[in-house]
Amino acid sequence: MKIAVLGSGAMGCLYGGKLAEAGYDVTLIDVWKDHIDSINNRGLHIEGIEGERTVRSIRAVSSAGEAGPCDLLIVFVKATLTAQAVESARGIIGERTSILTLQNGLGNVEKISAVVGEEKVIAGVTGHGSTLLGPGKIRHAGQGVTVIGELNGAVDERLRCIGAVLEKGGFDVKLSQNVMGLIWGKLLVNIGINALTAITGLKNGRLVDFSETEELLRSAVEEAVAVAKGKGVILEGEDPVEHARNVARLTATNRSSMLQDVSNKRKTEIDVINGAIVQEGKRLGIPTPVNKVLYNLVSVKEKTYEEV
């Protein structure tokens, strides 16, 4: 199977690297030239919970067209870039290509479907945490289950095949009949963790060490749960607040993707995480004051990067 990873930052490199180690033909696609050059010249260096090694059986390109046709396209670009990135990858998406999104936030499934058709899309969530250390280097900071599902809820041969591919890459995989509910479940975790870490500079696990941040985590998640219920989303698993706390503990040493973005003065995904809850709350008449504050604070950080 030929696999391409669209958006090869911390998480794209983690999935691409582990799949290449398993023997698959993997191409990473990213716009950061130094990152691409480092991977091609020196390999992809991975350190962290599974030890330290360099993956050399992988290549990287700066445009999707250089990757060539693929059987599986895994999308890891930031949600704000999804439509543009998938449109740029049209040339490598064949009749039998499956597209798997494991991105954060709301709206990615709809954006991808609008470009390539809903029938090509498989959605999922990942419990892994990864940090980009520099060009060609990542730290695997936390691990969990990867859950994938067809949009229509079917557990079919295609889904089983992609699940088996991920399992061969060393991922713990579950197949879901309610993947949109699980995407909301992952969103609730990001609601509780990402903006708070971006504002405070704390690693994930530290959020539950202080009563002040733990209270904000709880309130933000509870608001988002109310919005999810208002939309008729079926949530699965344990209490969402406790789940967010547990994820923070399990990824204690990880710097969230939003904290990494703020540290590197990059555009964050606040619009499709806390911002999405604020917008949906407005539409449904459900108040979301804590999420509004978190959204505003991260937005101001973005606007004042050059002043710091």
Side-chain angles (χ1 to χ4, degrees), residues 2 4 27-31 36-37 40 59-70 88-89 91-92:
K2 187 171 182 182
T27 301
L28 302 176
I29 306 166
D30 202 84
V31 296
I36 296 302
D37 291 344
N40 287 331
R59 75 181 183 115
V61 298
S62 57
S63 68
E66 299 174 72
C70 61
S88 74
I92 68 171

Side-chain angles (χ1 to χ4, degrees), residues 97-98 113 116-122 150-151 158:
T97 302
S98 296
S113 297
V116 301
E118 193 174 275
E119 70 283 353
K120 286 191 173 296
V121 183
I122 295 173
E150 296 279 3
L151 303 186
R158 177 174 76 154

Side-chain angles (χ1 to χ4, degrees), residues 233-247:
V233 175
I234 300 172
L235 298 172
E236 297 184 2
E238 64 181 317
D239 172 73
V241 172
E242 189 56 35
H243 181 54
R245 289 193 190 109
N246 286 336
V247 171

Side-chain angles (χ1 to χ4, degrees), residues 49-61:
I49 58 176
E50 294 179 310
E52 191 168 342
R53 71 271 194 201
T54 299
V55 182
R56 300 191 184 276
S57 57
I58 194 168
R59 75 181 183 115
V61 298

